[in-house]
Each structure stands twice: as C-alpha cells, then as structure tokens.
Amino acid sequence: MRPVLAIARNTIREALRERIALVAVVFGLAMVIASQVLAPLALGEGKKIVTDFGLAGSSLLATMLAVTLGTSLLHKELERRTIYSVMAKPVRRTEFLIGKFLGLWSTGAALLAVTTLMVLAVLTVAYRDPSWILAGSLALTLVEIGIVTAFVVFFSSFTTPGLAAFFTVTSLVAGHFAEDLLYFGTHGAAPALEIATTAAYWVLPHLTVFNARGLVVHGTPVPPERILFAVAYGLLYMGALLTAASAIFERREFR
C-alpha cells in the first residue's frame, strides 16, 4: 500500500503544477458574474439557473481535468522514461496504475469540491439560501469522476494520449445515452444491430445514475438509497476497469 500512496501523492503534486487552482478561480468568477447577470433577467428563477449552471460546470471541469491530465501524465512517464526508475524499485505495475488512478481521482475530487463550495457560497450570498442539498449531487458526481478517471487509466494503459482521450470521451457520451441506444436497437432494428446494442448497453457505464441535478435544482434532496446504489455501482465499475487496465499494463513492453 505504501508504494501506491507514494505514487498517488506524486501524481497530485504533478497535477497541481498544471495550474488547476487558476481554473477554480476563473470558475468562481464566472459564478459570481452569472449570479449578478441572471438575477434581474431570470424572472425569479435565478437561483435554479445558477444551481443548474454551477453543478453542470463543476462536473464538466472535473471531467475535462481528469481526461487532459490523465492522458498526458501517464504518457509523460513513458516519454521521459521516468517510469523505468519507478519500475526499478519494488513497485508492481498494478500498484503504479492504482497510484496514478488515486492521485488523479483525488485531484479531480478536490477541484469538484472547491467549485461546488463556490456555488454554495454564491447561493448563500446572492439568494440567502445555503442549499446544503448540493451535497447529494456532489457525492454522485465524485463517483462519476472516479469512473471517468478509471476510463482514462484503462485507455492510457495501451494507447496514445490522443486516442485515450478520444476513446474516453466517446465512452462517456455513449454512457449518458446507453438506455436510448438500447431502445433504438431493440425497436425494429436488424438482429445483428439488436445484439450489438444490447451488448453495448450492458458494457457501457450508466452515467445517468449519477445525474441528480434535476432534483437539486427543484429543492429535492437526493434519496440516500440512490446514493448508496450509485456508490456501489461506481466502485464495481471502477474495479472492473482497473483490473482490465492492470492486466494489459502488466504485458506492455516499454520502448
């Protein structure tokens, strides 16, 4: 466990050098400006718009961070050949991957937490409503970012940064429309297409499970059983992706 934590800490330090604090500050300024601009224009719906915009923006920023940092950091280890010095120590490749995953997930979670706190601060100051129910949405999005990070690590274990980013984004988009894909594939499509869409439905992550913004925007707390189900599902999915990534990375030859 010690090597895993050491690699995770080093990954966080590398990620912090990429100026993610600046991204958080820009997001905070955007939220403040949005609250001031929308207040007179939203006909009493400014709070809902700021909440929806803020939560969606936080999730998008954390996703972009996981994809861009994840694909580049692992590639840099190979390009600079620093991975050889790591592998020369008593560190297994699986531990290296898990350490990278934990470091990237922690960095994305920190950015997500900071931006969500900014949304909460804006709602408290501008609308006099500390919406603590944001915590439910935050918990679900944290798990979703874990799945995004696991996808990044999985694809980075065997392909280039550009392709890893492309495959990750494609998987995420398809994951948000998994149920629609199954519907269209099983209603009048050719048998081969029906089999393919059904297989894709069971393989793709069902990311709609983690989207509770509709509830939070309308002032409804996220049910605890939904959070528990999403956490269990997310951890199982991350475990499957990291197991597959480790199996591939163990057999990869470094050049």
Side-chain angles (χ1 to χ4, degrees):
M1 194 62 188
R2 186 176 297 175
V4 172
L5 296 178
I7 293 170
R9 284 195 298 270
N10 186 58
T11 303
I12 293 172
R13 281 196 291 269
E14 289 182 63
L16 292 177
R17 296 192 193 108
E18 302 293 334
R19 300 179 180 178
I20 63 169
L22 179 61
V23 175
V25 170
V26 171
F27 178 82
L29 290 174
M31 287 303 306
V32 173
I33 294 171
S35 65
Q36 296 302 313
V37 171
L38 292 174
L41 302 176
L43 301 177
E45 299 294 327
K47 179 190 165 189
K48 291 182 180 178
I49 294 175
V50 168
T51 302
D52 194 19
F53 171 74
L55 293 179
S58 298
S59 175
L60 181 62
L61 273 180
T63 300
M64 290 174 61
L65 179 78
V67 173
T68 54
L69 281 184
T71 53
S72 62
L73 286 182
L74 192 56
H75 178 70
K76 286 177 182 175
E77 295 275 6
L78 297 170
E79 190 178 51
R80 296 171 182 169
R81 300 181 183 277
T82 51
I83 194 171
Y84 292 105
S85 59
V86 177
M87 292 294 110
K89 299 176 182 177
V91 178
R92 297 168 57 191
R93 293 190 181 191
T94 298
E95 293 174 328
F96 177 80
L97 272 189
I98 294 176
K100 282 290 178 187
F101 165 76
L102 291 178
L104 288 168
W105 190 13
S106 300
T107 306
L111 177 64
L112 185 65
V114 170
T115 51
T116 304
L117 284 174
M118 289 179 176
V119 177
L120 180 63
V122 170
L123 291 174
T124 303
V125 174
Y127 299 97
R128 303 288 189 271
D129 184 6
S131 299
W132 298 108
I133 58 174
L134 294 182
S137 177
L138 173 62
L140 294 180
T141 310
L142 281 174
V143 181
E144 183 180 3
I145 296 304
I147 291 180
V148 174
T149 308
F151 264 112
V152 170
V153 171
F154 171 71
F155 288 121
S156 297
S157 66
F158 63 87
T159 190
T160 62
L163 287 177
F166 173 76
F167 290 146
T168 300
V169 172
T170 302
S171 301
L172 298 180
V173 172
H176 279 287
F177 296 99
E179 294 182 359
D180 296 323
L181 188 66
L182 178 67
Y183 177 81
F184 288 113
T186 54
H187 285 73
L193 183 60
E194 181 177 346
I195 294 173
T197 53
T198 302
Y201 174 78
W202 289 108
V203 171
L204 290 170
H206 295 188
L207 297 180
T208 52
V209 171
F210 306 102
N211 186 357
R213 288 197 300 274
L215 291 176
V216 175
V217 166
H218 290 90
T220 304
V222 183
E225 57 271 20
R226 177 172 176 176
I227 296 176
L228 289 175
F229 172 78
V231 170
Y233 172 73
L235 290 177
L236 283 174
Y237 205 96
M238 285 181 239
L241 279 175
L242 292 177
T243 300
S246 298
I248 295 170
F249 201 60
E250 288 283 354
R251 291 165 175 76
R252 181 171 178 175
E253 293 184 4
F254 302 133
R255 298 177 180 175

